[in-house]
Amino acid sequence: MAKQFMKPRYGAAARSRQSKWSRPGVLIGLVLLTFYSIAPLWWLVVSVTKSRVELYNTSGLWFGSENHIVENFQQLFTYEDGIFFRWMLNSILYAGVGAIVCTVISIAAGYSLSKFDFPGKKIEMALVMASFLVPTALLTLPLYLLFAGLHLTNTVWSVLIPSFVNAFDVYLAKEYIDGTVPDELLEAARVDGAGELRIFGQIVVPMLSTPAATIFILTFVLQWNNFYLPITMLRGSDKWTLALGLYSFMQTKQSSVFDPTTIALAGSIVSIIPLAVVMILMQRFWRSGVALGAVKG
């Protein structure tokens, strides 16, 4: 009886000691991870306020003796008659249009792979999954030769068209539809006389806000940061993306008029804003998708 009485007391004490130290440990770990995540952004904000001399001669995590942020942004916005804004609009075009079209194609392709039977379906699905093993950089040269043969290099289409299809997004949409869209619902709609396009547009698409938002964000971020394909396809600086423009700053020699290093840092700050806006706008679709899944569960 004594052993049976002491055993739960010992277990309770162990759990008490464990809970006593686990909470501070978790908090310390979260603080360290937060600092690790925020430190690069903080360094960027601090660096954009410095001149080139202070950038290399002062602490990277604290401000210098003088604030040069206004001067750095003025140099950025007036560089070559404001070409930075042209690069920004180009990036919004490439990333925005590419993400929208890729989302539509991925949802439609995932729906067909999930809910329809057709000859070669297994082979097609195997090819989609096998394409994950091919690095995107290896496709750049074949794409360049293809678009050169079509006389489309140095055009917006040479960057836009490759962004319209992404095998991972198709697979993501297919897996989500498998677990979200019941076959019984589709059969009931067909019995009621609804056509396939109507079923897809009015029944299936409204149920896929979460994967659609996820695919849109993934594609937008991928195209916004895309560098290798644009630098291969585009020649004129008027068609460059923001990533190419910022890279060109680092290839420019310093002059008495502007400092390429500090204006590149200022441009990096501005380039974060569209990504933050897209993430904020897409949050409501994630919330609605999570709430819908909770109700179903």
Side-chain angles (χ1 to χ4, degrees), residues 99-250:
I100 292 174
V101 176
C102 182
T103 301
V104 174
I105 293 177
S106 299
I107 293 295
Y111 174 67
S112 65
L113 288 172
S114 176
K115 300 302 180 182
F116 292 95
D117 292 324
F118 51 88
K121 177 181 177 179
K122 293 183 179 180
I123 297 177
E124 182 177 345
M125 193 61 203
L127 291 175
V128 169
M129 298 184 68
S131 64
F132 298 164
L133 305 176
V134 181
T136 305
L138 292 181
L139 301 176
T140 303
L141 181 57
L143 286 173
Y144 177 80
L145 296 176
L146 175 62
F147 283 102
L150 297 174
H151 304 288
L152 290 177
T153 55
N154 199 30
T155 65
V156 296
W157 299 110
S158 62
V159 178
L160 272 178
I161 293 177
S163 67
F164 289 164
V165 179
N166 187 296
F168 176 77
D169 293 339
V170 173
Y171 178 76
L172 178 64
K174 188 260 182 188
E175 291 298 316
Y176 191 91
I177 292 171
D178 283 344
T180 305
V181 181
D183 294 335
E184 295 79 7
L185 179 63
L186 304 180
E187 291 299 330
R190 294 187 180 104
V191 170
D192 291 338
E196 295 299 334
L197 289 178
R198 184 179 179 184
I199 293 174
F200 177 72
Q202 297 184 4
I203 298 177
V204 177
V205 172
M207 300 175 63
L208 303 179
S209 60
T210 300
T214 303
I215 292 171
F216 180 86
I217 290 176
L218 291 176
T219 308
F220 188 92
V221 173
L222 179 65
Q223 297 305 318
W224 186 266
N225 297 323
N226 195 3
F227 177 81
Y228 197 45
L229 182 64
I231 200 174
T232 304
M233 295 290 187
L234 304 177
R235 293 293 177 265
S237 60
D238 59 321
K239 300 181 182 66
W240 282 357
T241 62
L242 195 55
L244 282 182
L246 295 178
Y247 173 76
S248 69
F249 286 150
M250 306 309 299

Side-chain angles (χ1 to χ4, degrees), residues 52 79 248-256 258-261:
R52 183 181 179 88
Y79 176 76
S248 69
F249 286 150
M250 306 309 299
Q251 307 303 312
T252 305
K253 294 182 179 180
Q254 184 178 5
S255 66
S256 58
F258 70 95
D259 180 8
T261 304

